[in-house]
Amino acid sequence: MNISTIGTNLAANQAVSGKTLPPQSIGKVVEVAEQSQAQRTVDMRQVSLNEINALIKSGVDGLLDVVPYIPISTSNPFAAPDAGDLKVDYLGQIEGMIDFQKSRHEDTTFLEKVLNNVKRIDGMALPPKLDVMA
């Protein structure tokens, strides 16, 4: 095996000095700043446990009356994402529980109260991230 020609192909195409600056992208920085300052709202059909936790910490009550369920099939044990970032259909889960209890001719008044409370919260502005280091 002849490796004498390998070194000749690895030469740099263009000489670069350490004094060049990257191109300016001020517009992108402004867009990111505007997006981070824009208020996010809660979509209870696509909500994560971290968002629910932020709402609870901000003083919203009634969110733990029915605990959201994260199906095992949605989490990938090999990728190991944070379970708090997985999105669930919280409203759909409560509606499914009501339908199931109605099919068994059971009382659904508690679940209907929880559903009305969650619908009230749906579309609410998410609080800004809490500073836990302060």
Side-chain angles (χ1 to χ4, degrees):
M1 183 167 149
N2 186 4
I3 61 170
S4 62
T5 59
I6 292 176
T8 60
N9 294 334
L10 296 177
N13 292 339
Q14 172 181 353
V16 178
S17 71
K19 295 182 181 179
T20 59
L21 295 174
Q24 296 280 335
S25 59
I26 296 173
K28 292 181 183 178
V29 174
V30 172
E31 287 178 18
V32 171
E34 288 175 0
Q35 289 175 357
S36 66
Q37 291 176 357
Q39 265 193 331
R40 299 180 348 209
T41 59
V42 179
D43 179 14
M44 296 309 266
R45 298 249 179 227
Q46 288 291 318
V47 67
S48 70
L49 294 180
N50 288 337
E51 292 170 340
I52 291 174
N53 190 29
L55 287 170
I56 292 170
K57 287 181 179 179
S58 70
V60 177
D61 61 342
L63 284 173
L64 291 180
D65 292 337
V66 175
V67 179
Y69 171 71
I70 298 177
I72 295 175
S73 62
T74 60
S75 62
N76 184 357
F78 299 109
D82 184 17
D85 291 330
L86 293 173
K87 303 282 186 175
V88 294
D89 183 5
Y90 192 49
L91 276 174
Q93 288 180 4
I94 297 170
E95 291 167 347
M97 289 180 203
I98 291 172
D99 290 341
F100 177 72
Q101 285 192 355
K102 282 183 178 179
S103 73
R104 298 184 67 198
H105 305 290
E106 294 178 2
D107 185 29
T108 60
T109 54
F110 174 73
L111 286 175
E112 288 173 2
K113 286 180 187 177
V114 171
L115 182 65
N116 288 333
N117 188 30
V118 171
K119 283 183 178 179
R120 178 184 56 85
I121 297 169
D122 191 28
M124 178 184 281
L126 267 175
K129 287 194 173 189
L130 299 174
D131 186 10
V132 295
M133 297 302 289

